[in-house]
Amino acid sequence: MAEHPDSALVRKGFEAWNRGDMETVGSLMTADCTHHAPGESQVSGHFKGRDNIIGMYGQMFELTGGKMRVELDGIYVDGRGHAVAANKFFAERGDRGIEMKGALIFTIVGGKISDIDECVEDIEQSDAFWGKAE
């Protein structure tokens, strides 16, 4: 059975993100894409526009010195432009580490990601790892 196009798009994004290939990640999004990141940390909030989202991802790589990765547990689609990617996130920051389950909920329009809703297992732990917004 062939992979659904929405699943293939999301998988391509995860693979590129893990390589730090933000050019490919950005090419999968609409120009006005929005990423909603939970919590109150310096990488939380509503990031509107592909460039702002890529900037936030860059900040994550900078804060961790590139010591982060995501393992994809599964991608689930509805065939109507939505995909859910269950995953586990690993990162190191200074003397701290984090390993957390989560999910990204994607809205896909015209073969591009137009919205990303991020959910994490423990918002307080995530905030503590990333640090409060300055």
Side-chain angles (χ1 to χ4, degrees):
M1 191 162 142
E3 186 172 37
H4 190 278
D6 292 346
S7 291
L9 177 73
V10 169
R11 185 175 312 284
K12 183 176 181 179
F14 271 83
E15 290 168 353
W17 196 89
N18 276 328
R19 291 191 311 269
D21 179 358
M22 294 303 111
E23 185 174 332
T24 296
V25 171
S27 75
L28 305 176
M29 299 176 194
T30 61
D32 64 346
C33 185
T34 303
H35 183 128
H36 311 275
E40 297 178 9
S41 78
Q42 58 187 321
V43 295
S44 297
H46 304 284
F47 298 87
K48 179 76 172 167
R50 177 178 40 226
D51 293 342
N52 290 325
I53 295 169
I54 297 301
M56 183 264 287
Y57 295 165
Q59 182 181 13
M60 293 171 76
F61 277 97
E62 184 178 313
L63 290 167
T64 62
K67 294 180 181 179
M68 62 179 183
R69 70 181 174 18
V70 178
E71 288 180 2
L72 194 54
D73 290 329
I75 303 170
Y76 312 100
V77 298
D78 67 358
R80 296 178 289 113
H82 301 99
V84 176
N87 62 76
K88 188 179 276 189
F89 179 79
F90 302 85
E92 295 177 24
R93 181 168 179 235
D95 62 352
R96 297 188 85 139
I98 192 168
E99 177 180 320
M100 186 175 294
K101 292 179 181 179
L104 296 173
I105 301 127
F106 297 90
T107 301
I108 300 165
V109 177
K112 298 264 188 181
I113 297 164
S114 66
D115 194 77
I116 307 165
D117 281 302
E118 181 180 348
C119 299
V120 296
E121 187 174 38
D122 185 328
I123 292 173
E124 289 180 11
Q125 182 184 1
S126 180
D127 281 349
F129 175 78
W130 291 112
K132 294 288 184 187
E134 296 177 9

